[in-house]
Amino acid sequence: MFRSLWQYRHFILSSIRGDLKGRFVRSRLGGLWFILHPLAQALIFSIVLSEVLKARLPDTDSPAAYPIYLLSGMAAWSLFNEILTRSMTVFIEQAPVMKKIAFPRLCLPIIVGGTALINHLLLLFAIFVIFIFLGHMPGRALILLPIGIVLIAAIGFGLGVILGVVNVFVRDVAQVMSIVLQLWYWLTPIVYPANVLPEQYAFLLNLNPLAPLAALYQNALLFDRWPNAESLAMPAALGLVSMAFAIVFFRRASPELIDVL
């Protein structure tokens, strides 16, 4: 499987390039929409929560702290959400291509993941520009950001491939996951700091693999804090296990995908 993926590396790269171009073929702003959507959402949250509701972070008095905190957490979530949601539907969306062209089917979620990573890098660049405008410069902890990117991509890819295969056979999966992801988002400390969660629900943060990864982004981009290595053990284990299981599960189910589609 890995040998085949390497042989089709040019197909994967050209497909990523075509996917990025094809989304906004006749759009005036083109690829800027990759950046504007999450930034607009973060701006709305920042205005409503920090200006209207006067939300403030407990560890800092900076008026720009909350928008930076929010943008950092939303950057982490947007990468996970894009890889997971697009991987869940990629086999169904690309069914005509899979029936006509012979290529390793695992190329499809890899193309999704590659596109999402490029989008994420563009978003981070836009966020850094906003940070400069706000007069904030991240510290040395910024060098740990690639660890968060790798772990988030691994979890999103592993879960996305598993759910994507199941979604071919049971089409309700994508609908159920759209609800689960909304709940998952609000159980991740992105809009609010982790210490404001009521005690009876605090245990959910320990079960949420995205919580320490969002915190890694927030600590690196806002507080210049180094993450606790123990907090990353669970996301790392989940990323490794989910990717391994996804590959095995995909190999076993792959022969039946075309027949069902």
Side-chain angles (χ1 to χ4, degrees), residues 7 10 25 48 53 90 94 97 134 147 172 181 191 207 234:
Q7 291 173 349
H10 299 297
V25 173
V48 172
L53 300 180
V90 68
Q94 300 298 327
V97 178
L134 294 174
I147 297 177
D172 295 331
L181 285 173
V191 177
L207 302 176
M234 192 258 286

Side-chain angles (χ1 to χ4, degrees), residues 45-58 63 66:
F45 277 125
S46 298
I47 293 174
V48 172
L49 294 176
S50 64
E51 299 300 329
V52 178
L53 300 180
K54 302 300 181 183
R56 292 290 184 270
L57 294 179
Y66 185 78

Side-chain angles (χ1 to χ4, degrees), residues 228-238:
N228 184 355
E230 295 180 0
S231 67
L232 300 179
M234 192 258 286
L238 178 60

Side-chain angles (χ1 to χ4, degrees), residues 55-62 65-66 69 192-196 223 225:
R56 292 290 184 270
L57 294 179
D59 298 332
T60 178
D61 296 328
S62 172
Y66 185 78
Y69 178 88
Y192 56 88
N195 54 12
V196 305
F223 300 112
R225 297 174 184 165

Side-chain angles (χ1 to χ4, degrees), residues 72-251:
S72 303
M74 291 191 69
W77 176 263
S78 66
L79 175 61
F80 170 73
N81 185 62
E82 181 176 0
I83 294 177
L84 179 60
T85 54
R86 292 197 62 204
S87 296
M88 280 194 301
T89 59
V90 68
F91 299 118
I92 295 175
E93 293 174 353
Q94 300 298 327
V97 178
M98 294 172 63
K99 294 177 181 179
K100 295 178 181 179
I101 303 175
F103 63 93
R105 310 307 184 201
L106 199 58
C107 287
L108 295 176
I110 291 177
I111 292 169
V112 167
T115 304
L117 286 173
I118 294 176
N119 294 343
H120 187 64
L121 294 177
L122 292 173
L123 177 60
L124 287 178
F125 175 77
I127 288 176
F128 290 150
V129 173
I130 293 176
F131 285 178
I132 294 174
F133 178 76
L134 294 174
H136 172 77
M137 291 299 294
R140 291 181 298 175
L142 183 65
I143 63 175
L144 297 179
L145 209 58
I147 297 177
I149 294 174
V150 170
L151 294 180
I152 292 171
I155 296 173
F157 180 84
L159 296 179
V161 171
I162 295 169
L163 295 172
V165 173
V166 176
N167 192 40
V168 172
F169 299 93
V170 183
R171 300 297 174 91
D172 295 331
V173 170
Q175 305 301 325
V176 172
M177 282 304 300
S178 65
I179 301 174
V180 172
L181 285 173
Q182 291 183 45
L183 181 61
W184 197 341
Y185 174 83
W186 287 106
L187 289 177
T188 304
I190 296 173
V191 177
Y192 56 88
N195 54 12
V196 305
L197 202 65
E199 290 187 9
Q200 61 267 33
Y201 301 112
F203 73 96
L204 294 174
L205 295 183
N206 297 325
L207 302 176
N208 184 355
L210 265 294
L213 297 177
L216 186 152
Y217 271 66
Q218 292 155 347
N219 287 330
L221 296 176
L222 174 60
F223 300 112
D224 192 25
R225 297 174 184 165
W226 298 80
N228 184 355
E230 295 180 0
S231 67
L232 300 179
M234 192 258 286
L238 178 60
L240 182 61
V241 171
S242 63
M243 286 193 66
F245 182 78
I247 293 173
V248 174
F249 183 57
F250 179 82
R251 288 190 64 181

